[in-house]
Amino acid sequence: MPRNKNPEETVKKILEVSLQLFLEKGYDQTTVLDIVNNLGGLTRGAFYHHFKSKEDVLEAIFSEDYFNSHPIKRAQDAKVESGLERLKLALKYGMGANFEHSEVGDTTRLALQLMQKPRFLAEQLKGNREVAALLVPMMEEGMADGSIKPGNAKILTELMLLLLNFWLIPDIFPCDMEETLVKAEMIEKICKELLGFELFDEEIEALFMKAAEMFGWPSYE
């Protein structure tokens, strides 16, 4: 088979096919051969030219560059009146990407499926540390302009992300929707006490409820 003259399109095809197979068959049940067989004529050699394994594919799927939604960069570039507004924009853009970009929503579904796997959970924690580092300047901006209570911006940002991205996830801490809402109320109280603002304004609350409906919260008896 002749060399593909458009490697970016090949990579995109591999990622799209792999994502759908991971969702339909499950990550563990999907093989490299399954991926190749669904690439419309591309060979196994073409796959290995770009990726060493399906683990590499998974890592690429979750990279922000692939989806090009860049919620934090959008918030960084936004014209806002306070650091608090910028911080909330980053959260809104991040949540909203699930609905604006179908592939982002699919990736979130895959992440929820994989959340109990130690290796994947470790990667998610690493990703959250990287996100926290990008959000800290927004927290500091808010503390400087008075929209957020003074404090340790790094620690408070990390705490907020851990609560939002891990404590609220039923696959990590089993809970039904009713218990999740109780948790959200507690997070709101923590933010009010430590940061001096209400995290769940009407827009963020609406996005949160939309996400809960979209991805489904299990019912634990």
Side-chain angles (χ1 to χ4, degrees):
M1 184 176 177
R3 182 179 294 276
N4 193 312
K5 295 182 179 180
N6 195 339
E8 291 182 0
E9 285 299 315
T10 300
V11 169
K12 182 179 179 181
K13 180 68 173 178
I14 292 172
L15 295 178
E16 289 175 347
V17 167
S18 300
L19 175 57
Q20 291 308 311
L21 287 172
F22 292 160
L23 285 171
E24 293 168 7
K25 297 186 63 174
Y27 174 75
D28 289 336
Q29 288 69 40
T30 299
T31 65
V32 170
L33 183 58
D34 291 328
I35 297 171
V36 172
N37 287 340
N38 285 272
L39 289 178
L42 291 176
T43 65
R44 187 179 296 197
F47 175 92
Y48 284 114
H49 179 72
H50 297 285
F51 298 100
K52 294 180 180 179
S53 64
K54 71 173 185 178
E55 288 79 10
D56 283 352
V57 174
L58 185 67
E59 182 177 345
I61 284 175
F62 283 104
S63 71
E64 188 176 28
D65 288 339
Y66 171 47
F67 295 114
N68 201 31
S69 57
H70 299 295
I72 294 179
K73 187 178 187 306
R74 287 175 62 192
Q76 288 172 334
D77 295 340
K79 294 182 179 180
V80 296
E81 295 182 356
S82 68
L84 173 58
E85 186 179 348
R86 191 181 308 282
L87 182 65
K88 284 193 173 186
L89 271 183
L91 297 177
K92 292 173 185 178
Y93 289 155
M95 296 174 68
N98 288 299
F99 317 112
E100 296 170 5
H101 308 278
S102 60
E103 64 270 34
V104 177
D106 287 343
T107 305
T108 300
R109 290 188 181 91
L110 179 59
L112 292 173
Q113 290 181 14
L114 298 172
M115 200 63 77
Q116 293 184 357
K117 295 182 177 297
R119 178 178 175 181
F120 180 77
L121 185 57
E123 287 298 317
Q124 289 296 100
L125 284 166
K126 177 182 176 182
N128 268 257
R129 289 196 297 269
E130 295 171 354
V131 170
L134 295 174
L135 294 181
V136 167
M138 301 181 191
M139 186 77 77
E140 291 174 337
E141 179 185 0
M143 291 177 178
D145 64 34
S147 59
I148 298 175
K149 279 186 177 181
N152 189 312
K154 179 177 181 292
I155 290 176
L156 291 170
T157 301
E158 291 174 351
L159 174 62
M160 183 179 69
L161 284 181
L162 283 172
L163 291 174
L164 291 174
N165 290 344
F166 292 95
W167 193 47
L168 281 181
I169 302 299
D171 294 274
I172 300 177
F173 294 97
C175 59
D176 57 23
M177 191 59 203
E178 182 178 353
E179 291 171 323
T180 301
L181 292 175
V182 173
K183 288 184 177 183
E185 290 179 0
M186 293 187 70
I187 293 174
E188 182 78 321
K189 291 179 181 178
I190 291 171
C191 286
K192 186 70 174 178
E193 179 66 26
L194 296 179
L195 301 173
F197 67 81
E198 294 181 359
L199 179 64
F200 292 99
D201 59 25
E202 290 186 4
E203 188 174 355
I204 291 180
E205 183 177 350
L207 285 169
F208 175 76
M209 296 304 296
K210 188 176 181 180
E213 181 179 353
M214 180 178 183
F215 301 116
W217 254 249
S219 296
Y220 295 92
E221 300 298 335

